[in-house]
């Protein structure tokens, strides 16, 4: 789906609110903070910007952010019982709706001092995201995104999750087509100016296998090793990819 410049302007505003949530939540992350505290800060930004949450009540999800520590890959539920401790890594995924248009982005950050492996995993995952974003140019094929992400992650000795992928985004958070973080064996749709995607590599320190916990949401690595997640909402423009979820 190709968006008009008016629609893109709304998505740019939604993206900016998501980036503000990232900035505000990043600022409070330290040992002793709970994942519920993170959700509360995110709600405050949404309220101040008169934006709606696309996470709250999504298939019954009870919060405006997903908070996924350590071996949790995605979809962790904020809780007063999950207290961050020195050495953790935590993935924060959130979104915002402005005038019916969606933004969606995620980051992973260390809590205090983290291990060399954790730090390298976060660096590589973010770098794989930008390698994917670089492929979002008019005339290119969508699955080049996944090929680029996979190359960065696997060259570093890590693996990419297969069961969860990026997506088109616009008047819904999740629109077709899917954006795999690996080469799925076909080039995929041709990219055109005005298309908007959420690219979101989930990179595991160990194997790519995932497991879902009994809460029906939290997804963890099957081998218990660390996972990181970075995401942006990006438009294909005449001047190359434009990241909307930045300040
Ligand atoms: Mg997201
Ligand atoms: Mg997403």
């Amino acid at each position: 789906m190709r968006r008009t410049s008016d629609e893109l302007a709304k998505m740019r505003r939604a993206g900016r609110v998501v980036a503000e949530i990232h900035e505000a939540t990043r600022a409070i992350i330290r040992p002793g903070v709970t994942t519920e505290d993170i959700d509360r800060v995110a709600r405050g930004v949404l309220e101040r910007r008169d934006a709606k949450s696309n996470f709250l009540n999504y298939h019954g999800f009870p919060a405006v952010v997903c908070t996924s520590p350590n071996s949790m890959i995605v979809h962790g539920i904020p809780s007063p019982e999950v207290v961050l401790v020195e050495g953790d890594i935590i993935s924060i995924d959130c979104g915002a709706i402005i005038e019916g248009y969606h933004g969606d982005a995620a980051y992973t950050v260390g809590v205090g001092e983290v291990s060399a492996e954790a730090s390298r995993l976060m660096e590589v995952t973010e770098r794989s995201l930008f390698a994917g974003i670089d492929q979002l140019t008019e005339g290119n094929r969508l699955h080049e995104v996944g090929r680029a992400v996979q190359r960065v992650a696997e060259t570093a000795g890590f693996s990419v999750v297969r069961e969860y992928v990026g997506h088109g985004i616009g008047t819904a958070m999740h629109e077709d087509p899917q954006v795999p973080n690996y080469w799925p064996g076909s080039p995929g749709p041709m990219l055109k100016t005005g298309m908007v995607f959420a690219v979101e590599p989930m990179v595991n320190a160990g194997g790519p296998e995932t497991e879902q916990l009994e809460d029906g949401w939290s997804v963890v690595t099957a081998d218990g090793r660390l996972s990181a997640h970075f995401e942006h909402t990006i438009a294909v423009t005449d001047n190359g990819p434009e990241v909307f979820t930045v300040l």
Side-chain angles (χ1 to χ4, degrees), residues 18-82:
V18 178
E20 282 183 46
I21 297 172
H22 282 196
E23 184 178 68
T25 53
R26 202 185 277 272
I28 66 152
I29 288 172
R30 62 179 62 85
V33 163
T34 71
T35 52
E36 186 186 59
D37 294 331
I38 296 168
D39 187 66
R40 190 177 317 114
V41 165
R43 285 175 195 253
V45 175
L46 288 166
E47 218 163 276
R48 273 203 304 285
R49 293 300 177 208
D50 213 11
K52 290 201 189 79
S53 173
N54 36 17
F55 279 45
L56 186 64
N57 300 323
Y58 182 86
H59 296 286
F61 192 77
V64 305
V65 293
C66 292
T67 50
S68 308
N70 300 319
S71 64
M72 198 175 287
I73 302 167
V74 284
H75 303 164
I77 301 171
S79 160
E81 267 132 54
V82 179

Short mmCIF file of all heavy atoms in Angstrom, two decimals, residues 18-82:
data_model
loop_
_atom_site.label_atom_id
_atom_site.label_comp_id
_atom_site.label_asym_id
_atom_site.label_seq_id
_atom_site.Cartn_x
_atom_site.Cartn_y
_atom_site.Cartn_z
N VAL A 18 6.44 7.86 19.39
CA VAL A 18 7.09 6.60 19.79
C VAL A 18 8.54 6.88 20.21
O VAL A 18 9.02 6.37 21.23
CB VAL A 18 7.04 5.56 18.64
CG1 VAL A 18 7.78 4.28 19.04
CG2 VAL A 18 5.60 5.24 18.26
N ALA A 19 9.22 7.72 19.44
CA ALA A 19 10.61 8.07 19.79
C ALA A 19 10.67 8.80 21.13
O ALA A 19 11.61 8.60 21.91
CB ALA A 19 11.22 8.93 18.68
N GLU A 20 9.68 9.62 21.41
CA GLU A 20 9.63 10.30 22.72
C GLU A 20 9.45 9.30 23.85
O GLU A 20 10.02 9.46 24.93
CB GLU A 20 8.49 11.33 22.76
CG GLU A 20 8.82 12.61 22.02
CD GLU A 20 7.69 13.63 22.15
OE1 GLU A 20 7.18 13.83 23.27
OE2 GLU A 20 7.31 14.20 21.11
N ILE A 21 8.63 8.27 23.60
CA ILE A 21 8.46 7.22 24.62
C ILE A 21 9.80 6.50 24.83
O ILE A 21 10.19 6.21 25.97
CB ILE A 21 7.36 6.21 24.20
CG1 ILE A 21 6.01 6.89 24.11
CG2 ILE A 21 7.31 5.05 25.20
CD1 ILE A 21 4.90 6.02 23.53
N HIS A 22 10.50 6.24 23.75
CA HIS A 22 11.83 5.61 23.89
C HIS A 22 12.74 6.46 24.77
O HIS A 22 13.38 5.96 25.70
CB HIS A 22 12.47 5.41 22.52
CG HIS A 22 11.92 4.24 21.77
ND1 HIS A 22 12.56 3.69 20.69
CD2 HIS A 22 10.79 3.50 21.94
CE1 HIS A 22 11.86 2.65 20.23
NE2 HIS A 22 10.78 2.54 20.96
N GLU A 23 12.77 7.74 24.47
CA GLU A 23 13.66 8.63 25.22
C GLU A 23 13.28 8.69 26.71
O GLU A 23 14.13 8.59 27.59
CB GLU A 23 13.62 10.04 24.61
CG GLU A 23 14.58 11.01 25.27
CD GLU A 23 14.52 12.37 24.59
OE1 GLU A 23 13.50 13.06 24.71
OE2 GLU A 23 15.52 12.73 23.94
N ALA A 24 11.97 8.81 26.96
CA ALA A 24 11.50 8.93 28.35
C ALA A 24 11.71 7.64 29.14
O ALA A 24 12.04 7.67 30.33
CB ALA A 24 10.02 9.33 28.36
N THR A 25 11.50 6.49 28.49
CA THR A 25 11.67 5.22 29.21
C THR A 25 13.15 4.92 29.42
O THR A 25 13.56 4.50 30.50
CB THR A 25 10.99 4.05 28.46
OG1 THR A 25 11.45 4.00 27.11
CG2 THR A 25 9.48 4.21 28.48
N ARG A 26 13.96 5.21 28.41
CA ARG A 26 15.41 4.98 28.52
C ARG A 26 15.99 5.75 29.72
O ARG A 26 16.89 5.27 30.41
CB ARG A 26 16.08 5.48 27.24
CG ARG A 26 17.44 4.89 26.94
CD ARG A 26 18.01 5.57 25.71
NE ARG A 26 17.55 5.00 24.46
CZ ARG A 26 18.16 3.98 23.85
NH1 ARG A 26 19.21 3.41 24.39
NH2 ARG A 26 17.70 3.52 22.71
N ALA A 27 15.42 6.93 29.96
CA ALA A 27 15.94 7.80 31.01
C ALA A 27 15.71 7.24 32.42
O ALA A 27 16.40 7.64 33.35
CB ALA A 27 15.29 9.18 30.89
N ILE A 28 14.75 6.34 32.59
CA ILE A 28 14.49 5.82 33.95
C ILE A 28 15.08 4.43 34.18
O ILE A 28 15.00 3.90 35.29
CB ILE A 28 12.98 5.79 34.30
CG1 ILE A 28 12.23 4.78 33.42
CG2 ILE A 28 12.35 7.18 34.22
CD1 ILE A 28 10.99 4.21 34.10
N ILE A 29 15.61 3.81 33.13
CA ILE A 29 16.05 2.42 33.28
C ILE A 29 17.34 2.33 34.09
O ILE A 29 18.38 2.88 33.70
CB ILE A 29 16.17 1.74 31.89
CG1 ILE A 29 14.75 1.50 31.36
CG2 ILE A 29 16.97 0.44 31.99
CD1 ILE A 29 14.69 1.02 29.95
N ARG A 30 17.22 1.71 35.25
CA ARG A 30 18.36 1.48 36.13
C ARG A 30 17.96 0.36 37.10
O ARG A 30 16.78 0.01 37.20
CB ARG A 30 18.73 2.75 36.90
CG ARG A 30 17.64 3.31 37.83
CD ARG A 30 18.12 4.56 38.55
NE ARG A 30 18.43 5.65 37.64
CZ ARG A 30 17.55 6.51 37.16
NH1 ARG A 30 16.28 6.44 37.52
NH2 ARG A 30 17.91 7.46 36.31
N PRO A 31 18.94 -0.20 37.84
CA PRO A 31 18.59 -1.24 38.81
C PRO A 31 17.53 -0.74 39.79
O PRO A 31 17.57 0.42 40.23
CB PRO A 31 19.92 -1.51 39.54
CG PRO A 31 20.98 -1.13 38.55
CD PRO A 31 20.41 0.03 37.79
N GLY A 32 16.53 -1.59 40.09
CA GLY A 32 15.49 -1.24 41.05
C GLY A 32 14.19 -0.80 40.40
O GLY A 32 13.14 -0.81 41.04
N VAL A 33 14.27 -0.40 39.12
CA VAL A 33 13.05 0.02 38.41
C VAL A 33 12.27 -1.23 38.00
O VAL A 33 12.86 -2.26 37.67
CB VAL A 33 13.47 0.86 37.18
CG1 VAL A 33 12.33 0.98 36.17
CG2 VAL A 33 13.94 2.23 37.62
N THR A 34 10.93 -1.16 38.05
CA THR A 34 10.13 -2.31 37.61
C THR A 34 9.65 -2.07 36.17
O THR A 34 9.61 -0.93 35.70
CB THR A 34 8.88 -2.52 38.50
OG1 THR A 34 7.94 -1.46 38.23
CG2 THR A 34 9.24 -2.54 39.98
N THR A 35 9.26 -3.15 35.51
CA THR A 35 8.77 -2.99 34.14
C THR A 35 7.42 -2.27 34.14
O THR A 35 7.05 -1.64 33.15
CB THR A 35 8.70 -4.35 33.42
OG1 THR A 35 7.97 -5.28 34.21
CG2 THR A 35 10.09 -4.89 33.15
N GLU A 36 6.71 -2.31 35.27
CA GLU A 36 5.46 -1.52 35.38
C GLU A 36 5.78 -0.02 35.40
O GLU A 36 5.03 0.79 34.84
CB GLU A 36 4.69 -1.91 36.63
CG GLU A 36 3.33 -1.25 36.71
CD GLU A 36 2.63 -1.52 38.03
OE1 GLU A 36 3.19 -1.17 39.10
OE2 GLU A 36 1.54 -2.10 38.00
N ASP A 37 6.90 0.36 36.04
CA ASP A 37 7.33 1.77 36.03
C ASP A 37 7.53 2.25 34.59
O ASP A 37 7.19 3.39 34.24
CB ASP A 37 8.66 1.95 36.78
CG ASP A 37 8.55 1.66 38.27
OD1 ASP A 37 7.45 1.85 38.84
OD2 ASP A 37 9.57 1.25 38.87
N ILE A 38 8.11 1.38 33.77
CA ILE A 38 8.38 1.73 32.37
C ILE A 38 7.05 1.97 31.63
O ILE A 38 6.90 2.94 30.88
CB ILE A 38 9.20 0.61 31.70
CG1 ILE A 38 10.58 0.51 32.37
CG2 ILE A 38 9.35 0.86 30.19
CD1 ILE A 38 11.37 -0.74 32.00
N ASP A 39 6.08 1.10 31.89
CA ASP A 39 4.76 1.26 31.26
C ASP A 39 4.11 2.58 31.68
O ASP A 39 3.50 3.28 30.87
CB ASP A 39 3.87 0.07 31.65
CG ASP A 39 2.55 0.09 30.90
OD1 ASP A 39 2.57 -0.08 29.66
OD2 ASP A 39 1.49 0.26 31.54
N ARG A 40 4.28 2.95 32.96
CA ARG A 40 3.66 4.17 33.47
C ARG A 40 4.24 5.41 32.77
O ARG A 40 3.51 6.33 32.39
CB ARG A 40 3.85 4.27 34.99
CG ARG A 40 3.04 5.38 35.62
CD ARG A 40 3.18 5.43 37.15
NE ARG A 40 3.13 4.10 37.75
CZ ARG A 40 4.15 3.51 38.37
NH1 ARG A 40 5.30 4.12 38.51
NH2 ARG A 40 4.01 2.29 38.87
N VAL A 41 5.56 5.41 32.59
CA VAL A 41 6.21 6.54 31.90
C VAL A 41 5.72 6.63 30.45
O VAL A 41 5.43 7.72 29.94
CB VAL A 41 7.75 6.36 31.96
CG1 VAL A 41 8.44 7.28 30.97
CG2 VAL A 41 8.25 6.62 33.38
N ALA A 42 5.57 5.49 29.80
CA ALA A 42 5.10 5.47 28.42
C ALA A 42 3.67 6.00 28.32
O ALA A 42 3.33 6.78 27.42
CB ALA A 42 5.16 4.05 27.86
N ARG A 43 2.82 5.63 29.27
CA ARG A 43 1.44 6.13 29.29
C ARG A 43 1.41 7.65 29.43
O ARG A 43 0.58 8.34 28.81
CB ARG A 43 0.65 5.50 30.45
CG ARG A 43 0.24 4.06 30.20
CD ARG A 43 -0.42 3.45 31.44
NE ARG A 43 -0.48 2.00 31.34
CZ ARG A 43 -1.60 1.31 31.10
NH1 ARG A 43 -2.76 1.92 30.97
NH2 ARG A 43 -1.56 -0.02 31.01
N GLY A 44 2.33 8.18 30.22
CA GLY A 44 2.41 9.62 30.42
C GLY A 44 2.71 10.36 29.12
O GLY A 44 2.11 11.40 28.82
N VAL A 45 3.64 9.83 28.33
CA VAL A 45 3.98 10.46 27.05
C VAL A 45 2.78 10.42 26.09
O VAL A 45 2.44 11.43 25.46
CB VAL A 45 5.20 9.78 26.39
CG1 VAL A 45 5.48 10.37 25.01
CG2 VAL A 45 6.44 9.89 27.29
N LEU A 46 2.12 9.27 26.01
CA LEU A 46 0.96 9.14 25.12
C LEU A 46 -0.11 10.16 25.48
O LEU A 46 -0.70 10.82 24.61
CB LEU A 46 0.37 7.72 25.21
CG LEU A 46 1.21 6.61 24.55
CD1 LEU A 46 0.72 5.24 25.00
CD2 LEU A 46 1.16 6.71 23.03
N GLU A 47 -0.35 10.31 26.79
CA GLU A 47 -1.35 11.25 27.27
C GLU A 47 -0.98 12.69 26.90
O GLU A 47 -1.79 13.44 26.38
CB GLU A 47 -1.45 11.11 28.78
CG GLU A 47 -2.84 11.23 29.33
CD GLU A 47 -2.89 10.68 30.75
OE1 GLU A 47 -3.04 9.44 30.91
OE2 GLU A 47 -2.74 11.49 31.68
N ARG A 48 0.29 13.04 27.18
CA ARG A 48 0.75 14.42 26.89
C ARG A 48 0.64 14.75 25.42
O ARG A 48 0.38 15.89 25.05
CB ARG A 48 2.23 14.57 27.31
CG ARG A 48 2.44 14.95 28.75
CD ARG A 48 3.80 15.62 28.96
NE ARG A 48 4.94 14.83 28.53
CZ ARG A 48 5.42 13.76 29.16
NH1 ARG A 48 4.84 13.34 30.27
NH2 ARG A 48 6.47 13.11 28.70
N ARG A 49 0.85 13.77 24.56
CA ARG A 49 0.83 14.00 23.10
C ARG A 49 -0.53 13.72 22.49
O ARG A 49 -0.67 13.73 21.26
CB ARG A 49 1.89 13.13 22.42
CG ARG A 49 3.31 13.53 22.77
CD ARG A 49 3.59 14.95 22.35
NE ARG A 49 4.92 15.36 22.75
CZ ARG A 49 5.25 16.61 23.00
NH1 ARG A 49 4.34 17.57 22.91
NH2 ARG A 49 6.48 16.91 23.35
N ASP A 50 -1.50 13.40 23.35
CA ASP A 50 -2.85 13.12 22.86
C ASP A 50 -2.83 12.00 21.81
O ASP A 50 -3.54 12.07 20.80
CB ASP A 50 -3.44 14.41 22.26
CG ASP A 50 -4.94 14.46 22.48
OD1 ASP A 50 -5.44 13.64 23.27
OD2 ASP A 50 -5.60 15.31 21.85
N ALA A 51 -2.00 11.01 22.07
CA ALA A 51 -1.88 9.86 21.17
C ALA A 51 -2.54 8.65 21.81
O ALA A 51 -2.61 8.54 23.04
CB ALA A 51 -0.40 9.56 20.90
N LYS A 52 -3.03 7.74 20.98
CA LYS A 52 -3.59 6.48 21.49
C LYS A 52 -2.53 5.39 21.42
O LYS A 52 -1.60 5.46 20.62
CB LYS A 52 -4.79 6.07 20.64
CG LYS A 52 -6.01 6.95 20.80
CD LYS A 52 -7.26 6.18 20.34
CE LYS A 52 -8.47 7.08 20.27
NZ LYS A 52 -8.48 7.91 19.04
N SER A 53 -2.72 4.38 22.27
CA SER A 53 -1.82 3.23 22.25
C SER A 53 -2.35 2.17 21.29
O SER A 53 -3.53 1.85 21.31
CB SER A 53 -1.69 2.61 23.63
OG SER A 53 -0.96 1.40 23.56
N ASN A 54 -1.47 1.63 20.46
CA ASN A 54 -1.87 0.49 19.62
C ASN A 54 -1.53 -0.85 20.28
O ASN A 54 -1.83 -1.91 19.74
CB ASN A 54 -1.25 0.59 18.21
CG ASN A 54 0.15 1.16 18.23
OD1 ASN A 54 0.79 1.20 19.28
ND2 ASN A 54 0.64 1.61 17.10
N PHE A 55 -0.88 -0.79 21.45
CA PHE A 55 -0.55 -2.03 22.16
C PHE A 55 -1.64 -2.39 23.17
O PHE A 55 -2.01 -3.55 23.30
CB PHE A 55 0.78 -1.86 22.92
CG PHE A 55 2.00 -2.03 22.04
CD1 PHE A 55 2.09 -1.44 20.80
CD2 PHE A 55 3.07 -2.80 22.49
CE1 PHE A 55 3.21 -1.60 20.00
CE2 PHE A 55 4.20 -2.97 21.70
CZ PHE A 55 4.28 -2.37 20.46
N LEU A 56 -2.15 -1.37 23.88
CA LEU A 56 -3.15 -1.60 24.92
C LEU A 56 -4.40 -2.25 24.32
O LEU A 56 -4.95 -1.73 23.34
CB LEU A 56 -3.52 -0.28 25.59
CG LEU A 56 -4.43 -0.36 26.80
CD1 LEU A 56 -3.78 -1.11 27.96
CD2 LEU A 56 -4.85 1.04 27.26
N ASN A 57 -4.79 -3.40 24.90
CA ASN A 57 -5.97 -4.16 24.45
C ASN A 57 -5.80 -4.83 23.09
O ASN A 57 -6.76 -5.37 22.54
CB ASN A 57 -7.24 -3.28 24.42
CG ASN A 57 -7.55 -2.73 25.79
OD1 ASN A 57 -7.36 -3.42 26.80
ND2 ASN A 57 -8.00 -1.48 25.87
N TYR A 58 -4.57 -4.81 22.54
CA TYR A 58 -4.33 -5.54 21.29
C TYR A 58 -4.43 -7.03 21.59
O TYR A 58 -3.62 -7.57 22.32
CB TYR A 58 -2.95 -5.18 20.74
CG TYR A 58 -2.61 -5.84 19.42
CD1 TYR A 58 -3.00 -5.26 18.22
CD2 TYR A 58 -1.91 -7.05 19.37
CE1 TYR A 58 -2.70 -5.86 17.01
CE2 TYR A 58 -1.61 -7.65 18.17
CZ TYR A 58 -2.01 -7.06 16.99
OH TYR A 58 -1.71 -7.67 15.80
N HIS A 59 -5.46 -7.69 21.07
CA HIS A 59 -5.77 -9.09 21.44
C HIS A 59 -5.75 -9.27 22.96
O HIS A 59 -5.31 -10.31 23.45
CB HIS A 59 -4.80 -10.07 20.77
CG HIS A 59 -4.88 -10.07 19.27
ND1 HIS A 59 -5.92 -10.65 18.58
CD2 HIS A 59 -4.06 -9.54 18.34
CE1 HIS A 59 -5.74 -10.49 17.28
NE2 HIS A 59 -4.62 -9.81 17.11
N GLY A 60 -6.14 -8.21 23.67
CA GLY A 60 -6.21 -8.29 25.14
C GLY A 60 -4.92 -7.94 25.86
O GLY A 60 -4.84 -8.09 27.09
N PHE A 61 -3.90 -7.44 25.16
CA PHE A 61 -2.64 -7.07 25.84
C PHE A 61 -2.92 -5.96 26.85
O PHE A 61 -3.59 -4.97 26.53
CB PHE A 61 -1.57 -6.64 24.83
CG PHE A 61 -0.20 -6.53 25.45
CD1 PHE A 61 0.56 -7.67 25.71
CD2 PHE A 61 0.34 -5.29 25.80
CE1 PHE A 61 1.81 -7.59 26.30
CE2 PHE A 61 1.59 -5.20 26.39
CZ PHE A 61 2.33 -6.34 26.64
N PRO A 62 -2.38 -6.10 28.10
CA PRO A 62 -2.81 -5.21 29.17
C PRO A 62 -1.96 -3.95 29.38
O PRO A 62 -2.15 -3.26 30.39
CB PRO A 62 -2.70 -6.11 30.40
CG PRO A 62 -1.56 -7.03 30.09
CD PRO A 62 -1.61 -7.23 28.60
N ALA A 63 -1.05 -3.60 28.48
CA ALA A 63 -0.14 -2.48 28.73
C ALA A 63 0.15 -1.74 27.42
O ALA A 63 -0.23 -2.20 26.33
CB ALA A 63 1.16 -3.02 29.34
N VAL A 64 0.84 -0.58 27.54
CA VAL A 64 1.16 0.20 26.33
C VAL A 64 2.56 -0.10 25.81
O VAL A 64 2.94 0.38 24.73
CB VAL A 64 0.96 1.73 26.55
CG1 VAL A 64 -0.45 2.03 27.04
CG2 VAL A 64 2.02 2.32 27.48
N VAL A 65 3.35 -0.84 26.59
CA VAL A 65 4.68 -1.28 26.11
C VAL A 65 4.82 -2.78 26.37
O VAL A 65 4.20 -3.33 27.28
CB VAL A 65 5.86 -0.58 26.85
CG1 VAL A 65 5.92 0.90 26.52
CG2 VAL A 65 5.81 -0.79 28.34
N CYS A 66 5.66 -3.42 25.56
CA CYS A 66 6.13 -4.77 25.87
C CYS A 66 7.51 -4.62 26.48
O CYS A 66 8.35 -3.86 25.97
CB CYS A 66 6.24 -5.62 24.61
SG CYS A 66 4.66 -6.00 23.85
N THR A 67 7.74 -5.32 27.59
CA THR A 67 9.03 -5.24 28.29
C THR A 67 9.59 -6.66 28.39
O THR A 67 9.03 -7.50 29.09
CB THR A 67 8.84 -4.63 29.68
OG1 THR A 67 7.77 -5.31 30.36
CG2 THR A 67 8.49 -3.14 29.60
N SER A 68 10.70 -6.91 27.69
CA SER A 68 11.20 -8.28 27.56
C SER A 68 12.66 -8.36 28.00
O SER A 68 13.55 -8.01 27.23
CB SER A 68 11.04 -8.74 26.10
OG SER A 68 9.72 -8.53 25.66
N PRO A 69 12.91 -8.81 29.24
CA PRO A 69 14.29 -8.86 29.74
C PRO A 69 15.06 -10.12 29.32
O PRO A 69 14.48 -11.20 29.21
CB PRO A 69 14.11 -8.83 31.27
CG PRO A 69 12.73 -9.32 31.53
CD PRO A 69 11.93 -9.15 30.26
N ASN A 70 16.35 -9.96 29.09
CA ASN A 70 17.31 -11.07 28.98
C ASN A 70 16.93 -12.10 27.92
O ASN A 70 16.96 -11.79 26.75
CB ASN A 70 17.53 -11.68 30.37
CG ASN A 70 18.09 -10.63 31.33
OD1 ASN A 70 18.95 -9.84 30.94
ND2 ASN A 70 17.60 -10.59 32.55
N SER A 71 16.55 -13.34 28.34
CA SER A 71 16.24 -14.38 27.36
C SER A 71 14.83 -14.23 26.79
O SER A 71 14.42 -15.02 25.94
CB SER A 71 16.37 -15.76 28.00
OG SER A 71 15.42 -15.89 29.04
N MET A 72 14.08 -13.24 27.25
CA MET A 72 12.77 -12.99 26.66
C MET A 72 12.98 -12.22 25.36
O MET A 72 13.68 -11.21 25.33
CB MET A 72 11.86 -12.23 27.62
CG MET A 72 10.38 -12.34 27.24
SD MET A 72 9.31 -11.56 28.45
CE MET A 72 9.42 -12.74 29.79
N ILE A 73 12.36 -12.72 24.28
CA ILE A 73 12.58 -12.14 22.95
C ILE A 73 11.64 -10.95 22.74
O ILE A 73 12.08 -9.85 22.42
CB ILE A 73 12.36 -13.21 21.86
CG1 ILE A 73 13.32 -14.39 22.08
CG2 ILE A 73 12.54 -12.60 20.47
CD1 ILE A 73 12.97 -15.63 21.25
N VAL A 74 10.35 -11.20 22.89
CA VAL A 74 9.33 -10.17 22.70
C VAL A 74 8.11 -10.45 23.57
O VAL A 74 7.98 -11.52 24.15
CB VAL A 74 8.84 -10.09 21.22
CG1 VAL A 74 9.86 -9.40 20.32
CG2 VAL A 74 8.46 -11.46 20.68
N HIS A 75 7.21 -9.43 23.63
CA HIS A 75 5.84 -9.54 24.16
C HIS A 75 5.75 -9.72 25.67
O HIS A 75 4.72 -10.18 26.17
CB HIS A 75 5.04 -10.66 23.45
CG HIS A 75 4.98 -10.49 21.96
ND1 HIS A 75 4.62 -11.49 21.10
CD2 HIS A 75 5.26 -9.42 21.17
CE1 HIS A 75 4.67 -11.05 19.85
NE2 HIS A 75 5.06 -9.78 19.87
N GLY A 76 6.82 -9.35 26.41
CA GLY A 76 6.76 -9.41 27.86
C GLY A 76 5.75 -8.40 28.41
O GLY A 76 5.62 -7.29 27.91
N ILE A 77 5.01 -8.80 29.45
CA ILE A 77 3.98 -7.96 30.06
C ILE A 77 4.59 -7.19 31.24
O ILE A 77 5.15 -7.80 32.15
CB ILE A 77 2.81 -8.82 30.57
CG1 ILE A 77 2.19 -9.62 29.40
CG2 ILE A 77 1.75 -7.94 31.24
CD1 ILE A 77 1.17 -10.66 29.87
N PRO A 78 4.49 -5.87 31.25
CA PRO A 78 5.00 -5.09 32.38
C PRO A 78 4.35 -5.54 33.70
O PRO A 78 3.16 -5.86 33.73
CB PRO A 78 4.59 -3.65 32.04
CG PRO A 78 4.47 -3.63 30.55
CD PRO A 78 3.96 -5.00 30.18
N SER A 79 5.16 -5.55 34.75
CA SER A 79 4.68 -6.06 36.05
C SER A 79 5.43 -5.38 37.19
O SER A 79 6.63 -5.11 37.07
CB SER A 79 4.92 -7.57 36.10
OG SER A 79 4.90 -8.03 37.44
N PRO A 80 4.72 -5.13 38.31
CA PRO A 80 5.41 -4.58 39.48
C PRO A 80 6.39 -5.60 40.07
O PRO A 80 7.23 -5.25 40.89
CB PRO A 80 4.27 -4.28 40.45
CG PRO A 80 3.12 -5.11 40.00
CD PRO A 80 3.28 -5.30 38.53
N GLU A 81 6.26 -6.87 39.66
CA GLU A 81 7.12 -7.91 40.22
C GLU A 81 8.41 -8.13 39.42
O GLU A 81 9.30 -8.85 39.88
CB GLU A 81 6.36 -9.23 40.31
CG GLU A 81 5.70 -9.41 41.66
CD GLU A 81 4.25 -9.83 41.55
OE1 GLU A 81 3.99 -10.84 40.87
OE2 GLU A 81 3.39 -9.12 42.11
N VAL A 82 8.50 -7.53 38.24
CA VAL A 82 9.74 -7.68 37.46
C VAL A 82 10.62 -6.46 37.74
O VAL A 82 10.37 -5.36 37.24
CB VAL A 82 9.45 -7.83 35.95
CG1 VAL A 82 10.76 -7.95 35.16
CG2 VAL A 82 8.57 -9.06 35.70
#
